[in-house]
Amino acid sequence: MMRWHIAHGRHLDLGARSLLMGILNVTPDSFSDGGEFDRPERAIQQARRMIGEGAAIIDVGGESTRPGAGAVSAREEQSRILPVVEALSSDGGSLVSVDTYRAETARLAVAAGAHIVNDVHGLQREPDIAHVAAETGAGLVIMHTGRGREKLADVIADQFLFLNRSLEIARHAGIPDDRIVLDPGFAFAKDGEENLELMARFGELRALGFPLLVGTSRKRLARHLVGGTDEGRDVGTAATSVILRLKGASIFRVHNVAVNRDALAFADAVRERETAE
C-alpha cells in the first residue's frame, strides 16, 4: 500500500485495489474519440458517466498526442480544458487530472481545481512544470516517451535512462516522492515488438520504487491482435490491464471504464489470494 498525495489536501491509496483513470479528450482530433466530447457540456456528461462506472480520476486533455496530430496553442488548450476542470472540481467528489506538458496550463488547471498533472513528456519538454507541481502540491504522473530522441536498444534500460532523468528534474524542483507516479508510455515511439517486450518485462520497473500507471487503451498494441472495432479494442485493452495488474501496475488510464473495471476485479481477487497465501 502506498499513499499518493495530490493537490487540495487529497490523496489516493494505491496497491490493494486497481484504480481507474477515465480518459476525457476535449479535442477534435484524438485518435479514438476526437470530436465526441469537444463541447464542455458533453465532456462533463461523459466524465460523470465514467465516475458512475467506477473511475477514481478523470484525466482531461486539450491537445491530441496521437502521432502526426497538429499542435495547438497554449491559449486554445486552456480554453478547452479549464471550463471542464472547473465544472468537475465543483462537484466536490471528482478527482481531476490534467493531461498537459505546459507549465502555465498546469498552473491554471490546478488553480481551477485539478489535483494531478499528467505530463506525457516526463518533465523534459517544459521542465518548469515540475516547479508548478512542487508549488501547488499537485500529484504528478511522469511518462516515458521515445519521441524526439535516440532510444537505447533495450526497452527497460531506456525506461530507466529516461525516467531517472525525469526524477532528477522532479527532485531538483522539490517534489516529494509520495507525489509521483510513473507511466512507461506504451505506444509512445514504441513499435509492436517493443510494446510486447515492455509488457513481458513490466515487473522490472518496480525497481524504480514508484507506483505505476499504464495507458494501453485502444492503442495499436491492444487492437492489432483482436481487430480494429471499438469492442475489439476494449477487449484487448482489458486483457492488457489484467496482465499489467498482475505484474504490479496500480492505475489504469482507459476509455471504457466498465469493461476494465470488471476485468480488473478478477486480477485484484487473484492478487489478494496470492498475498493471503
Side-chain angles (χ1 to χ4, degrees):
M1 181 75 72
M2 300 180 75
R3 177 157 288 184
W4 187 21
H5 292 274
I6 58 180
H8 310 299
R10 304 288 293 273
H11 69 266
L12 286 163
D13 288 326
L14 308 177
R17 290 286 181 270
S18 305
L19 287 181
L20 291 158
M21 173 185 276
I23 298 169
L24 186 63
N25 293 316
V26 289
T27 60
D29 57 346
S30 292
F31 79 92
S32 176
D33 54 4
E36 290 187 37
F37 311 115
D38 57 351
R39 296 180 183 177
E41 60 274 16
R42 291 164 66 183
I44 293 162
Q45 182 180 29
Q46 170 68 357
R48 289 173 177 159
R49 185 183 70 79
M50 290 191 289
I51 292 165
E53 291 176 345
I57 307 163
I58 301 298
D59 190 43
V60 184
E63 179 175 346
S64 175
T65 57
R66 66 175 175 81
V72 301
S73 68
R75 180 173 295 182
E76 177 66 19
E77 179 191 40
Q78 292 156 17
S79 72
R80 291 174 178 178
I81 67 172
L82 292 179
V84 178
V85 171
E86 289 171 355
L88 294 177
S89 62
S90 70
D91 287 350
S94 304
L95 294 179
V96 181
S97 169
V98 58
D99 180 0
T100 187
Y101 59 83
R102 291 186 174 96
E104 185 59 19
T105 299
R107 188 185 305 279
L108 292 170
V110 177
H115 305 86
I116 298 160
V117 174
N118 177 14
D119 183 359
V120 299
H121 289 278
L123 313 180
Q124 296 188 38
R125 181 159 174 174
E126 285 196 19
D128 194 47
I129 199 170
H131 295 284
V132 172
E135 292 163 9
T136 62
L140 181 63
V141 179
I142 295 174
M143 197 193 82
H144 174 282
T145 182
R147 293 180 181 174
R149 65 184 184 87
E150 196 73 28
K151 297 185 299 181
L152 298 180
D154 183 89
V155 294
I156 298 299
D158 196 70
Q159 290 280 327
F160 277 77
L161 174 69
F162 183 91
L163 291 173
N164 278 322
R165 286 175 179 166
S166 296
L167 288 168
E168 287 178 12
I169 294 169
R171 287 166 177 153
H172 187 262
I175 301 171
D177 285 358
D178 63 6
R179 294 190 181 274
I180 297 172
V181 166
L182 301 181
D183 177 353
F186 282 100
F188 276 76
K190 301 172 184 71
D191 64 24
E193 288 302 313
E194 288 172 313
N195 284 313
L196 288 173
E197 179 75 6
L198 179 56
M199 185 173 296
R201 298 174 59 190
F202 185 83
E204 296 177 43
L205 299 179
R206 296 167 69 180
L208 288 161
F210 290 86
L212 297 168
L213 178 153
V214 292
T216 61
S217 188
R218 296 183 179 174
K219 292 178 179 176
R220 193 170 301 171
L221 163 70
R223 70 178 189 256
H224 85 279
L225 295 177
V226 293
T229 65
D230 279 352
E231 182 179 3
R233 290 184 295 173
D234 288 337
V235 169
T237 300
T240 63
S241 293
V242 168
I243 292 166
L244 293 167
R245 177 59 174 157
L246 295 177
K247 290 179 175 285
S250 296
I251 306 172
F252 301 82
R253 184 177 180 275
V254 299
H255 296 87
N256 189 321
V257 172
V259 168
N260 285 275
R261 175 201 65 204
D262 293 346
L264 285 164
F266 285 95
D268 286 344
V270 170
R271 280 174 55 95
E272 185 176 4
R273 182 62 60 91
E274 288 175 341
T275 302
E277 291 175 355

